[in-house]
Amino acid sequence: MDKHYLKLLKDIYPKKSNIKDELISLNSKLYLPKGTEYFFSDIHGESEAFLHLLRSASGNIRDKIAKLFGDTLIKEDQDELAELIYDPVHVLKDLSENDLLTEDYLTITIHRLINLFRFVSTKYPKAYVKGKFTGSYTNIIDELLYTNDSEFNKKEYYESLIANIVKYDSAREFIISLARLIQRVSVDKLHIVGDIYDRGPSPHIIMDELLTFPNVDIQWGNHDIAWMGAASGNEALIAACVANAISYNNFDMLEDGYGINLRPLYEFAIHNYRDDPCELFMPRIFDRNIYDNVSGEVAAKMYKAISIIRFKLDGALIARNPEFNVDDRNFLKFIDFEKMTYKNVPLKDTNFPTIDPKEPLKLTDAEQFIIDILKSDFIKGNRLNRHMSFLYKNGSMYKTENGSLLFHGCIPLTEDGKFQEIEIKGKKYSGRKLMDAFDKVARDAYFTNSIFAKDVMWYLINGRYSPIFGKSQYSYFENLFVEDKDLKREVYNPYYKLSEKEEIVDMILDEFEITSERRRIINGHVPVKVKKGDSPIKGGGKLYVIDGGISKPYQAKTGIAGYTLMFNSHHVALAEHKSYESITDKVSSYTPNIKEVEILLPRMLKKDTDEGQDIREKIEVLEKLLEMYDSAN
């Protein structure tokens, strides 16, 4: 080991006793139980359901309450305690308005929360638990947590602490702090396996919550990449994000959530489509907005207006990137404006007042003005770019951790089960190298002025060999304008069929150098259609697909409201959520259907994890430093 490096370490550990203290601590940590990892996928803007699942640890906190208080509290009281922990601000406000926030209630509740906090944090060392402390009251929480209230000499001190918290009107803030600490300790690490954005009304609220979470990573999904590309300044993706949001009537998210100015689009749509009912463009969901209560008729006109702009921008992007090999997606190129057909099939809508048949891809001056305004808002929006920066900092195309390979979508394969080769800038990539190449290009799109990188972001949500899309085509034009099923058909990459075979899953895990005895792939993107007999467990039990349909529009197809995966020291378990309403309507008593899919015997300790390997490497360095001290003497 480099002696200069070891000399630098001496500045951190100036005495032998410092090193020994650290070595004792590190070696002991190896024998702690593994922390709990939670895996979510395809949240699609459903903040209400997601926040409940996260804050309740998929019902695990309610289970802990039952175990701790089952003999002392009736079910109703247990439910009320759970609801308080999940949403302390709302519950305390409601109690206050109904004059129920008495001194007795506050005192008893603090006692219960402290006892529960002790219970859920018992498997963690004191330093780890204290690392979760943020904000006010950390010293008081520390005292209460680690003071034995049954010990005679400390009992009065313990009771006095709580009494004074109530006396000095600090109980509400203290309870909120305790509730959030219980939430944080119950989920050691959070993995989001793609698609925070689109369909649902409030991805911005989900992102705000993730910003506060201490240990989270994200594997980008195609819908996330669309917003990342839009914030990078890709005009086609800006139009795509706005069109998608309007199609689901998410005006509040655009204007109030992200401050995107839709007024020019509104005026343009009303002017150009005033006599057009735009029936094909009616939003899929009505009465969703609070601040921007746009009528269905107006939304339809705006959706059509931005869609035409989108098709023009798509075509221009495709024309400047022939290497993408997606010329068949240059929709306007295939319209016969005399016969009003698309690829020889009649169009369902033939009113195109802003398209010049001789130059169908050319934006009008008014359309260019609209996209310029939108582009400025996407690039300069503070909240949006705070969220995008977080996605880049904490996200990637894939992640490997503790025997798990996480990605959204697929690893593109050929029909015969080989890794699909894709050419980028004259160089061919496949498998892991392809994912690494796309990861780099995605970062270049946001952090450099590369037009090519920004255009690749469009390919990632549209290209037939995109790993986060994985279909032959994205039929958003065909779904609107034609009846022909063949033109609409989206064929999945062979990965989705072949990955049901264990040998294919093993091939992929080998490619990513996942060598542990227990190893698995975790991915989302394709909803598991439970009501049709589909299973989330594939590939000989080594592949878990956890997109079960938390997004409301998909629940009719799947029959459930999604999956979450939990990986703690005892097991890997799938939580199946019955319906969106069952998650949100009775939040305090909600418990999913939990199925253990891997039993860990013996119990998995920190020494068996990637973090354990990092600790062992640190121990090795410190032991060599200790040898240097000894040899110097």
Side-chain angles (χ1 to χ4, degrees):
M1 185 169 292
D2 190 289
K3 289 186 178 180
H4 297 292
Y5 175 55
L6 289 172
K7 286 179 180 178
L8 287 173
L9 280 173
K10 279 191 172 185
D11 293 335
I12 304 173
Y13 302 100
K15 298 179 181 178
K16 282 177 63 175
S17 58
N18 299 137
I19 304 171
K20 290 179 179 181
D21 283 348
E22 186 71 358
L23 284 170
I24 291 167
S25 175
L26 290 172
N27 277 285
S28 301
K29 278 183 181 179
L30 291 172
Y31 293 89
L32 288 168
K34 173 193 174 298
T36 301
E37 298 175 72
Y38 275 81
F39 304 80
F40 288 83
S41 174
D42 297 85
I43 304 162
H44 286 299
E46 298 290 357
S47 63
E48 190 176 356
F50 171 73
L51 293 181
H52 171 67
L53 291 176
L54 177 60
R55 293 171 181 175
S56 70
S58 290
N60 189 49
I61 290 175
R62 180 65 182 80
D63 182 60
K64 296 287 188 184
I65 290 171
K67 288 178 180 177
L68 180 62
F69 298 110
D71 294 333
T72 56
L73 294 180
I74 61 173
K75 181 182 179 301
E76 184 181 16
D77 290 339
Q78 292 178 40
D79 287 346
E80 288 177 359
L81 183 61
E83 190 171 358
L84 173 68
I85 293 167
Y86 302 161
D87 194 355
V89 174
H90 174 78
V91 171
L92 290 172
K93 181 176 182 290
D94 187 59
L95 289 170
S96 178
E97 289 173 352
N98 289 281
D99 295 324
L100 297 174
L101 217 55
T102 63
E103 288 190 5
D104 283 348
Y105 171 85
L106 294 171
T107 302
I108 291 168
T109 298
I110 291 172
H111 274 284
R112 288 172 179 170
L113 289 174
I114 287 291
N115 288 335
L116 182 62
F117 190 20
R118 284 177 184 159
F119 185 63
V120 299
S121 62
T122 51
K123 72 175 183 179
Y124 298 115
K126 183 177 179 180
Y128 169 86
V129 176
K130 289 187 71 173
K132 300 286 186 179
F133 291 6
T134 56
S136 306
Y137 308 111
T138 56
N139 291 332
I140 299 173
I141 291 171
D142 185 36
E143 283 291 312
L144 289 172
L145 187 62
Y146 296 107
T147 296
N148 186 350
D149 59 323
S150 62
E151 186 179 332
F152 177 76
N153 291 332
K154 293 285 185 72
K155 186 175 178 62
E156 286 189 17
Y157 169 66
Y158 183 92
E159 296 291 346
S160 176
L161 278 173
I162 295 177
N164 282 296
I165 291 168
V166 176
K167 176 182 176 181
Y168 291 107
D169 198 27
S170 296
R172 295 191 210 187
E173 291 81 6
F174 192 77
I175 287 169
I176 291 169
S177 295
L178 279 175
R180 287 177 176 160
L181 280 170
I182 291 167
Q183 293 173 22
R184 293 296 185 253
V185 169
S186 298
V187 180
D188 183 54
K189 186 151 194 180
L190 177 62
H191 306 281
I192 309 292
V193 194
D195 280 356
I196 296 166
Y197 281 83
D198 290 335
R199 300 196 190 112
S202 41
H204 53 297
I205 293 174
I206 294 169
M207 289 301 302
D208 282 342
E209 180 77 8
L210 294 179
L211 284 169
T212 70
F213 205 85
N215 199 359
V216 58
D217 56 70
I218 300 153
Q219 293 71 58
W220 303 320
N222 50 313
H223 292 272
D224 306 318
I225 285 286
W227 281 82
M228 292 158 64
S232 300
N234 183 294
E235 295 179 354
L237 290 178
I238 290 169
C241 289
V242 173
N244 198 306
I246 293 175
S247 75
Y248 285 96
N249 202 12
N250 289 329
F251 285 91
D252 276 1
M253 181 269 290
L254 289 172
E255 296 200 287
D256 183 65
Y258 283 135
I260 295 169
N261 181 9
L262 298 179
R263 187 71 189 184
L265 176 62
Y266 163 79
E267 292 174 348
F268 174 85
I270 294 298
H271 174 73
N272 284 278
Y273 298 98
R274 57 185 175 274
D275 297 323
D276 185 344
C278 300
E279 293 175 350
L280 302 180
F281 294 86
M282 280 292 175
R284 306 176 203 199
I285 298 172
F286 293 93
D287 301 325
R288 160 172 273 175
N289 301 293
I290 298 172
Y291 305 105
D292 292 286
N293 193 17
V294 179
S295 70
E297 292 75 15
V298 171
K301 296 180 193 302
M302 294 175 70
Y303 180 22
K304 183 173 182 179
I306 193 64
S307 293
I308 299 301
I309 295 173
R310 176 187 188 182
F311 303 146
K312 290 181 178 184
L313 294 168
D314 284 348
L317 185 150
I318 292 166
R320 67 176 175 260
N321 293 285
E323 64 269 42
F324 288 178
N325 294 313
V326 289
D327 193 56
D328 61 312
R329 310 314 296 150
N330 192 343
F331 310 115
L332 301 185
K333 178 179 177 179
F334 292 96
I335 293 180
D336 184 327
F337 287 96
E338 290 184 2
K339 298 179 181 178
M340 285 300 176
T341 59
Y342 170 75
K343 297 183 179 180
N344 299 316
V345 172
L347 289 165
K348 293 161 64 178
D349 186 330
T350 60
N351 183 35
F352 304 117
T354 68
I355 296 178
D356 179 354
K358 294 179 182 179
E359 295 183 276
L361 301 184
K362 185 178 180 181
L363 293 173
T364 67
D365 290 343
E367 288 174 326
Q368 186 63 59
F369 176 74
I370 289 167
I371 206 66
D372 288 344
I373 293 292
L374 292 173
K375 185 175 181 178
S376 177
D377 288 343
F378 269 85
I379 291 175
K380 297 178 181 178
N382 290 332
R383 189 180 191 185
L384 176 60
N385 279 278
R386 188 164 64 250
H387 292 170
M388 295 304 106
S389 295
F390 183 85
L391 284 178
Y392 275 106
K393 182 180 178 181
N394 295 275
S396 56
M397 287 292 292
Y398 70 91
K399 184 176 180 64
T400 61
E401 184 167 354
N402 296 331
S404 302
L405 170 60
L406 285 63
F407 57 85
H408 184 89
C410 69
I411 306 299
L413 300 176
T414 61
E415 292 287 351
D416 58 354
K418 302 292 192 301
F419 291 114
Q420 176 71 53
E421 281 192 337
I422 302 173
E423 189 172 305
I424 304 174
K425 285 287 188 181
K427 188 174 180 180
K428 292 184 178 179
Y429 301 88
S430 65
R432 184 176 187 173
K433 290 182 178 178
L434 175 67
M435 299 291 273
D436 289 335
F438 276 135
D439 190 290
K440 182 182 183 306
V441 172
R443 296 179 195 282
D444 287 345
Y446 192 72
F447 295 106
T448 76
N449 292 320
S450 170
I451 298 300
F452 175 75
K454 297 178 196 301
D455 286 353
V456 171
M457 299 292 273
W458 179 93
Y459 180 87
L460 281 170
I461 72 162
N462 289 278
R464 62 177 60 90
Y465 298 128
S466 163
I468 58 172
F469 177 58
K471 296 181 187 179
S472 58
Q473 65 181 41
Y474 186 5
S475 302
Y476 48 91
F477 177 90
E478 290 85 353
N479 288 335
L480 285 166
F481 282 98
V482 298
E483 295 284 3
D484 190 285
K485 291 182 179 180
D486 289 333
L487 287 178
K488 295 180 180 183
R489 184 170 292 114
E490 298 177 347
V491 180
Y492 283 105
N493 185 271
Y495 165 88
Y496 294 103
K497 185 68 177 176
L498 293 172
S499 61
E500 295 183 5
K501 300 177 181 179
E502 186 174 356
E503 60 267 28
I504 294 294
V505 174
D506 281 331
M507 178 188 77
I508 294 170
L509 289 166
D510 290 343
E511 170 74 3
F512 286 82
E513 300 179 344
I514 310 291
T515 58
S516 55
E517 182 180 349
R518 293 180 180 273
R519 57 183 191 166
R520 64 199 68 80
I521 292 173
I522 301 169
N523 75 267
H525 188 54
V526 179
V528 179
K529 298 176 181 177
V530 173
K531 70 179 187 179
K532 291 187 176 181
D534 199 4
S535 169
I537 307 172
K538 306 176 188 294
K542 296 179 180 178
L543 169 63
Y544 300 113
V545 181
I546 57 171
D547 178 6
I550 194 173
S551 176
K552 275 186 178 181
Y554 268 83
Q555 289 174 30
K557 297 180 181 180
T558 62
I560 60 168
Y563 291 99
T564 48
L565 191 72
M566 295 171 282
F567 182 8
N568 60 26
S569 61
H570 295 291
H571 60 237
V572 177
L574 272 170
E576 180 184 285
H577 306 289
K578 303 173 186 68
S579 70
Y580 183 90
E581 286 72 21
S582 68
I583 296 172
T584 57
D585 287 355
K586 297 180 179 179
V587 295
S588 58
S589 60
Y590 173 74
T591 53
N593 178 27
I594 296 177
K595 177 184 178 182
E596 292 181 330
V597 291
E598 295 179 38
I599 308 297
L600 305 180
L601 293 174
R603 185 182 194 182
M604 193 169 181
L605 303 179
K606 201 174 285 288
K607 69 182 180 66
D608 306 311
T609 67
D610 291 352
E611 184 185 353
Q613 179 59 33
D614 292 339
I615 291 172
R616 281 193 291 271
E617 290 173 1
K618 189 173 182 181
I619 288 170
E620 183 181 351
V621 170
L622 291 176
E623 286 178 341
K624 289 189 177 181
L625 182 61
L626 191 61
E627 288 175 10
M628 279 187 65
Y629 274 102
D630 290 337
S631 62
N633 297 326

